[in-house]
Amino acid sequence: MTKTFLQAAVEIARGAGAILREELERPPDIAYKGDFDLVTQADRRSEEWIVRRLQEFFPEHAIAAEEGTAKDRESEYRWHVDPLDGTTNFAHGYPCFCVSMGLARNNELVLGVIYSPVYDELFTAQRGEGAHFNGKRIRCSRIDSLKNSLLCTGFPNHKRHAHPNIYYYWDFTLKSHGVRRDGSAALDLAYVAAGRFDGFWEFGLMPWDSAAGVVLVEEAGGTISDLEGRPYTLGGKSILASNGLIHAEMKQVAAEIAKRSMPPL
Ligand code: IPD
Ligand code: CA
Ligand code: CA
């Protein structure tokens, strides 16, 4: 039987998740890609599996995977693959990490699959067909004010000292129920889609961090833009994802912070 893109992606993400669960039982094998940027055998094994299986299912598709296992090429379809989003959590045995696979057709994101293997939670979405959590339809939350919202953000693994996000973290923490920093941007976005978080922002995400989550949030009825309210582009400077109802308020707070002079850290 020929599998649909979604069936194939779910099967592959679950397989990668099984590899991550197995690797979690072993002593961590950590190397550094930068000052705080870790990579483990789990990242590499998961990616090798995903790339091999995608090439078997869809030999003509392009694959852009974080650890560089696949050679890029021209194609109508491109998979954006993060084989382990939340490597730092993984390396510390903190069970918040996932496999993230987003598919773009002619540069438009059309499908997203995010799998959290420790909790066996599967988030899926296809353009025009809604978002699902373990097979059940999900929608973003209905909370309509920032002060009653639970938010999340993340901090980059590179050049943290040169980064202003701590000031955004400060302000949003004081203006909401709280801001979580859970260490997996893909899961952060999936949780916005599932209504667990009401809003999320981050600077400097890579295409593989956000591709799947963007489809999930949009298909769950949420809004995606950059922090200034312009359309979000993969790999863009910032991302703002919300249930839609608090988007304008979040944008406004971000604009006020950006106007201030931020002392260097
Ligand atoms: C990281 C996580 C983290 C985010 C970083 C990403 P990785 O991805 O998504 O939440 O704050 O910007 O680089 O390195 O664990 O795949
Ligand atoms: Ca990532
Ligand atoms: Ca990763």
PDB file of all heavy atoms in Angstrom, residues 20 31 69 73 78 95 101 125 155 158 166 169-170 178 181 206 232 238 242 244 252 265:
ATOM      1  N   LEU A  20      15.151   7.151  20.469  1.00  0.00           N
ATOM      2  CA  LEU A  20      15.460   8.100  21.551  1.00  0.00           C
ATOM      3  C   LEU A  20      15.189   7.474  22.920  1.00  0.00           C
ATOM      4  O   LEU A  20      15.968   7.651  23.862  1.00  0.00           O
ATOM      5  CB  LEU A  20      14.653   9.400  21.381  1.00  0.00           C
ATOM      6  CG  LEU A  20      14.934  10.202  20.103  1.00  0.00           C
ATOM      7  CD1 LEU A  20      14.122  11.501  20.098  1.00  0.00           C
ATOM      8  CD2 LEU A  20      16.419  10.519  19.957  1.00  0.00           C
ATOM      9  N   ALA A  31      28.763  15.581  22.830  1.00  0.00           N
ATOM     10  CA  ALA A  31      29.808  16.409  22.219  1.00  0.00           C
ATOM     11  C   ALA A  31      29.248  17.823  22.107  1.00  0.00           C
ATOM     12  O   ALA A  31      28.041  18.012  22.255  1.00  0.00           O
ATOM     13  CB  ALA A  31      30.169  15.860  20.847  1.00  0.00           C
ATOM     14  N   THR A  69      22.757  15.012   7.768  1.00  0.00           N
ATOM     15  CA  THR A  69      22.855  13.664   7.202  1.00  0.00           C
ATOM     16  C   THR A  69      22.473  13.637   5.719  1.00  0.00           C
ATOM     17  O   THR A  69      23.015  12.840   4.949  1.00  0.00           O
ATOM     18  CB  THR A  69      21.916  12.699   7.969  1.00  0.00           C
ATOM     19  OG1 THR A  69      22.199  12.825   9.350  1.00  0.00           O
ATOM     20  CG2 THR A  69      22.093  11.262   7.533  1.00  0.00           C
ATOM     21  N   ARG A  73      18.766  19.266  -2.090  1.00  0.00           N
ATOM     22  CA  ARG A  73      18.570  19.218  -3.546  1.00  0.00           C
ATOM     23  C   ARG A  73      17.337  20.026  -3.905  1.00  0.00           C
ATOM     24  O   ARG A  73      16.559  20.403  -3.039  1.00  0.00           O
ATOM     25  CB  ARG A  73      18.396  17.765  -3.986  1.00  0.00           C
ATOM     26  CG  ARG A  73      17.313  17.050  -3.186  1.00  0.00           C
ATOM     27  CD  ARG A  73      17.140  15.615  -3.582  1.00  0.00           C
ATOM     28  NE  ARG A  73      16.461  15.519  -4.860  1.00  0.00           N
ATOM     29  CZ  ARG A  73      16.104  14.376  -5.427  1.00  0.00           C
ATOM     30  NH1 ARG A  73      16.386  13.234  -4.842  1.00  0.00           N
ATOM     31  NH2 ARG A  73      15.475  14.358  -6.569  1.00  0.00           N
ATOM     32  N   ARG A  78       9.983  19.561   0.467  1.00  0.00           N
ATOM     33  CA  ARG A  78      11.169  19.585   1.343  1.00  0.00           C
ATOM     34  C   ARG A  78      10.749  19.266   2.778  1.00  0.00           C
ATOM     35  O   ARG A  78       9.852  19.907   3.342  1.00  0.00           O
ATOM     36  CB  ARG A  78      11.847  20.961   1.276  1.00  0.00           C
ATOM     37  CG  ARG A  78      12.903  21.167   2.367  1.00  0.00           C
ATOM     38  CD  ARG A  78      13.808  22.371   2.158  1.00  0.00           C
ATOM     39  NE  ARG A  78      14.863  22.060   1.198  1.00  0.00           N
ATOM     40  CZ  ARG A  78      14.887  22.453  -0.066  1.00  0.00           C
ATOM     41  NH1 ARG A  78      13.932  23.217  -0.530  1.00  0.00           N
ATOM     42  NH2 ARG A  78      15.866  22.102  -0.870  1.00  0.00           N
ATOM     43  N   PRO A  95      12.629  14.671  30.630  1.00  0.00           N
ATOM     44  CA  PRO A  95      11.930  13.986  29.532  1.00  0.00           C
ATOM     45  C   PRO A  95      11.176  14.876  28.544  1.00  0.00           C
ATOM     46  O   PRO A  95      10.295  14.405  27.843  1.00  0.00           O
ATOM     47  CB  PRO A  95      10.949  13.069  30.280  1.00  0.00           C
ATOM     48  CG  PRO A  95      10.708  13.745  31.573  1.00  0.00           C
ATOM     49  CD  PRO A  95      11.961  14.485  31.926  1.00  0.00           C
ATOM     50  N   MET A 101       9.032  16.845  12.459  1.00  0.00           N
ATOM     51  CA  MET A 101       9.135  16.731  10.996  1.00  0.00           C
ATOM     52  C   MET A 101       8.073  17.616  10.347  1.00  0.00           C
ATOM     53  O   MET A 101       6.874  17.401  10.539  1.00  0.00           O
ATOM     54  CB  MET A 101       8.904  15.275  10.555  1.00  0.00           C
ATOM     55  CG  MET A 101       9.927  14.298  11.125  1.00  0.00           C
ATOM     56  SD  MET A 101       9.473  12.574  10.812  1.00  0.00           S
ATOM     57  CE  MET A 101       9.532  12.536   9.025  1.00  0.00           C
ATOM     58  N   ALA A 125      -0.627  17.594  12.042  1.00  0.00           N
ATOM     59  CA  ALA A 125      -1.504  18.552  11.352  1.00  0.00           C
ATOM     60  C   ALA A 125      -1.206  18.512   9.865  1.00  0.00           C
ATOM     61  O   ALA A 125      -0.060  18.309   9.445  1.00  0.00           O
ATOM     62  CB  ALA A 125      -1.262  19.970  11.873  1.00  0.00           C
ATOM     63  N   PHE A 155      15.664  29.989  24.882  1.00  0.00           N
ATOM     64  CA  PHE A 155      16.884  30.784  24.731  1.00  0.00           C
ATOM     65  C   PHE A 155      17.833  30.041  23.801  1.00  0.00           C
ATOM     66  O   PHE A 155      17.939  28.821  23.872  1.00  0.00           O
ATOM     67  CB  PHE A 155      17.551  31.013  26.094  1.00  0.00           C
ATOM     68  CG  PHE A 155      16.748  31.942  26.966  1.00  0.00           C
ATOM     69  CD1 PHE A 155      15.661  31.459  27.688  1.00  0.00           C
ATOM     70  CD2 PHE A 155      17.058  33.287  27.038  1.00  0.00           C
ATOM     71  CE1 PHE A 155      14.906  32.310  28.477  1.00  0.00           C
ATOM     72  CE2 PHE A 155      16.302  34.143  27.826  1.00  0.00           C
ATOM     73  CZ  PHE A 155      15.226  33.662  28.546  1.00  0.00           C
ATOM     74  N   HIS A 158      23.483  29.439  21.159  1.00  0.00           N
ATOM     75  CA  HIS A 158      24.666  30.207  20.760  1.00  0.00           C
ATOM     76  C   HIS A 158      24.583  31.625  21.287  1.00  0.00           C
ATOM     77  O   HIS A 158      23.500  32.205  21.342  1.00  0.00           O
ATOM     78  CB  HIS A 158      24.742  30.306  19.229  1.00  0.00           C
ATOM     79  CG  HIS A 158      24.961  28.989  18.575  1.00  0.00           C
ATOM     80  ND1 HIS A 158      26.163  28.333  18.606  1.00  0.00           N
ATOM     81  CD2 HIS A 158      24.112  28.190  17.881  1.00  0.00           C
ATOM     82  CE1 HIS A 158      26.053  27.197  17.945  1.00  0.00           C
ATOM     83  NE2 HIS A 158      24.819  27.083  17.504  1.00  0.00           N
ATOM     84  N   ILE A 166      16.197  37.751  27.720  1.00  0.00           N
ATOM     85  CA  ILE A 166      15.967  37.772  29.159  1.00  0.00           C
ATOM     86  C   ILE A 166      15.074  38.962  29.543  1.00  0.00           C
ATOM     87  O   ILE A 166      14.262  38.873  30.474  1.00  0.00           O
ATOM     88  CB  ILE A 166      17.323  37.793  29.928  1.00  0.00           C
ATOM     89  CG1 ILE A 166      17.125  37.382  31.385  1.00  0.00           C
ATOM     90  CG2 ILE A 166      18.034  39.106  29.810  1.00  0.00           C
ATOM     91  CD1 ILE A 166      16.895  35.914  31.584  1.00  0.00           C
ATOM     92  N   TYR A 169      11.609  37.979  28.725  1.00  0.00           N
ATOM     93  CA  TYR A 169      11.204  36.986  29.736  1.00  0.00           C
ATOM     94  C   TYR A 169      10.722  37.694  31.011  1.00  0.00           C
ATOM     95  O   TYR A 169       9.695  37.359  31.591  1.00  0.00           O
ATOM     96  CB  TYR A 169      12.409  36.084  30.026  1.00  0.00           C
ATOM     97  CG  TYR A 169      12.119  34.926  30.938  1.00  0.00           C
ATOM     98  CD1 TYR A 169      11.572  33.747  30.444  1.00  0.00           C
ATOM     99  CD2 TYR A 169      12.401  34.998  32.299  1.00  0.00           C
ATOM    100  CE1 TYR A 169      11.303  32.680  31.273  1.00  0.00           C
ATOM    101  CE2 TYR A 169      12.133  33.940  33.142  1.00  0.00           C
ATOM    102  CZ  TYR A 169      11.588  32.785  32.622  1.00  0.00           C
ATOM    103  OH  TYR A 169      11.317  31.733  33.443  1.00  0.00           O
ATOM    104  N   TRP A 170      11.489  38.682  31.409  1.00  0.00           N
ATOM    105  CA  TRP A 170      11.195  39.462  32.609  1.00  0.00           C
ATOM    106  C   TRP A 170       9.809  40.095  32.488  1.00  0.00           C
ATOM    107  O   TRP A 170       8.933  39.915  33.334  1.00  0.00           O
ATOM    108  CB  TRP A 170      12.292  40.530  32.754  1.00  0.00           C
ATOM    109  CG  TRP A 170      12.095  41.569  33.814  1.00  0.00           C
ATOM    110  CD1 TRP A 170      11.157  42.553  33.839  1.00  0.00           C
ATOM    111  CD2 TRP A 170      12.872  41.724  34.997  1.00  0.00           C
ATOM    112  NE1 TRP A 170      11.308  43.324  34.962  1.00  0.00           N
ATOM    113  CE2 TRP A 170      12.350  42.841  35.688  1.00  0.00           C
ATOM    114  CE3 TRP A 170      13.973  41.039  35.522  1.00  0.00           C
ATOM    115  CZ2 TRP A 170      12.892  43.281  36.902  1.00  0.00           C
ATOM    116  CZ3 TRP A 170      14.499  41.499  36.727  1.00  0.00           C
ATOM    117  CH2 TRP A 170      13.957  42.599  37.406  1.00  0.00           C
ATOM    118  N   GLY A 178       2.606  33.363  33.929  1.00  0.00           N
ATOM    119  CA  GLY A 178       3.979  32.865  34.020  1.00  0.00           C
ATOM    120  C   GLY A 178       4.523  32.517  32.655  1.00  0.00           C
ATOM    121  O   GLY A 178       3.771  32.400  31.675  1.00  0.00           O
ATOM    122  N   ARG A 181      10.061  27.812  30.409  1.00  0.00           N
ATOM    123  CA  ARG A 181      11.204  27.710  29.505  1.00  0.00           C
ATOM    124  C   ARG A 181      11.531  26.223  29.510  1.00  0.00           C
ATOM    125  O   ARG A 181      12.260  25.747  30.369  1.00  0.00           O
ATOM    126  CB  ARG A 181      12.334  28.564  30.091  1.00  0.00           C
ATOM    127  CG  ARG A 181      13.477  28.829  29.164  1.00  0.00           C
ATOM    128  CD  ARG A 181      14.356  27.624  29.003  1.00  0.00           C
ATOM    129  NE  ARG A 181      15.634  28.018  28.446  1.00  0.00           N
ATOM    130  CZ  ARG A 181      16.188  27.394  27.434  1.00  0.00           C
ATOM    131  NH1 ARG A 181      15.610  26.371  26.862  1.00  0.00           N
ATOM    132  NH2 ARG A 181      17.375  27.778  27.009  1.00  0.00           N
ATOM    133  N   MET A 206      15.734  27.826  13.999  1.00  0.00           N
ATOM    134  CA  MET A 206      16.091  27.301  12.680  1.00  0.00           C
ATOM    135  C   MET A 206      14.834  26.667  12.051  1.00  0.00           C
ATOM    136  O   MET A 206      13.892  26.309  12.767  1.00  0.00           O
ATOM    137  CB  MET A 206      17.189  26.242  12.828  1.00  0.00           C
ATOM    138  CG  MET A 206      18.467  26.765  13.476  1.00  0.00           C
ATOM    139  SD  MET A 206      19.176  28.155  12.586  1.00  0.00           S
ATOM    140  CE  MET A 206      19.868  27.321  11.169  1.00  0.00           C
ATOM    141  N   TYR A 232       5.600  35.391   9.362  1.00  0.00           N
ATOM    142  CA  TYR A 232       6.777  34.613   9.797  1.00  0.00           C
ATOM    143  C   TYR A 232       7.373  33.872   8.610  1.00  0.00           C
ATOM    144  O   TYR A 232       6.651  33.272   7.818  1.00  0.00           O
ATOM    145  CB  TYR A 232       6.366  33.600  10.876  1.00  0.00           C
ATOM    146  CG  TYR A 232       7.482  32.657  11.252  1.00  0.00           C
ATOM    147  CD1 TYR A 232       8.606  33.116  11.925  1.00  0.00           C
ATOM    148  CD2 TYR A 232       7.420  31.300  10.913  1.00  0.00           C
ATOM    149  CE1 TYR A 232       9.644  32.255  12.264  1.00  0.00           C
ATOM    150  CE2 TYR A 232       8.453  30.427  11.257  1.00  0.00           C
ATOM    151  CZ  TYR A 232       9.558  30.918  11.925  1.00  0.00           C
ATOM    152  OH  TYR A 232      10.581  30.064  12.254  1.00  0.00           O
ATOM    153  N   SER A 238      12.640  36.228  14.449  1.00  0.00           N
ATOM    154  CA  SER A 238      11.841  35.918  15.646  1.00  0.00           C
ATOM    155  C   SER A 238      10.542  35.252  15.238  1.00  0.00           C
ATOM    156  O   SER A 238      10.120  35.337  14.074  1.00  0.00           O
ATOM    157  CB  SER A 238      11.519  37.195  16.423  1.00  0.00           C
ATOM    158  OG  SER A 238      10.647  38.018  15.666  1.00  0.00           O
ATOM    159  N   SER A 242       0.550  32.254  18.933  1.00  0.00           N
ATOM    160  CA  SER A 242      -0.420  32.371  20.026  1.00  0.00           C
ATOM    161  C   SER A 242      -1.760  31.784  19.617  1.00  0.00           C
ATOM    162  O   SER A 242      -1.957  31.401  18.460  1.00  0.00           O
ATOM    163  CB  SER A 242      -0.615  33.847  20.416  1.00  0.00           C
ATOM    164  OG  SER A 242      -1.491  34.460  19.489  1.00  0.00           O
ATOM    165  N   GLY A 244      -4.154  33.429  19.050  1.00  0.00           N
ATOM    166  CA  GLY A 244      -4.792  34.464  18.212  1.00  0.00           C
ATOM    167  C   GLY A 244      -5.391  35.554  19.076  1.00  0.00           C
ATOM    168  O   GLY A 244      -5.228  36.744  18.790  1.00  0.00           O
ATOM    169  N   GLN A 252       2.244  44.063  21.299  1.00  0.00           N
ATOM    170  CA  GLN A 252       2.337  45.380  21.925  1.00  0.00           C
ATOM    171  C   GLN A 252       3.422  45.387  23.021  1.00  0.00           C
ATOM    172  O   GLN A 252       4.264  46.277  23.088  1.00  0.00           O
ATOM    173  CB  GLN A 252       0.950  45.720  22.511  1.00  0.00           C
ATOM    174  CG  GLN A 252       0.831  47.009  23.265  1.00  0.00           C
ATOM    175  CD  GLN A 252       1.070  48.206  22.347  1.00  0.00           C
ATOM    176  OE1 GLN A 252       0.766  48.136  21.151  1.00  0.00           O
ATOM    177  NE2 GLN A 252       1.659  49.252  22.885  1.00  0.00           N
ATOM    178  N   LEU A 265      24.425  42.259  28.571  1.00  0.00           N
ATOM    179  CA  LEU A 265      24.458  41.295  29.684  1.00  0.00           C
ATOM    180  C   LEU A 265      25.901  40.970  30.070  1.00  0.00           C
ATOM    181  O   LEU A 265      26.775  41.048  29.261  1.00  0.00           O
ATOM    182  CB  LEU A 265      23.731  40.017  29.272  1.00  0.00           C
ATOM    183  CG  LEU A 265      22.256  40.240  28.950  1.00  0.00           C
ATOM    184  CD1 LEU A 265      21.680  39.007  28.261  1.00  0.00           C
ATOM    185  CD2 LEU A 265      21.463  40.523  30.215  1.00  0.00           C
TER     186      LEU A 265
END
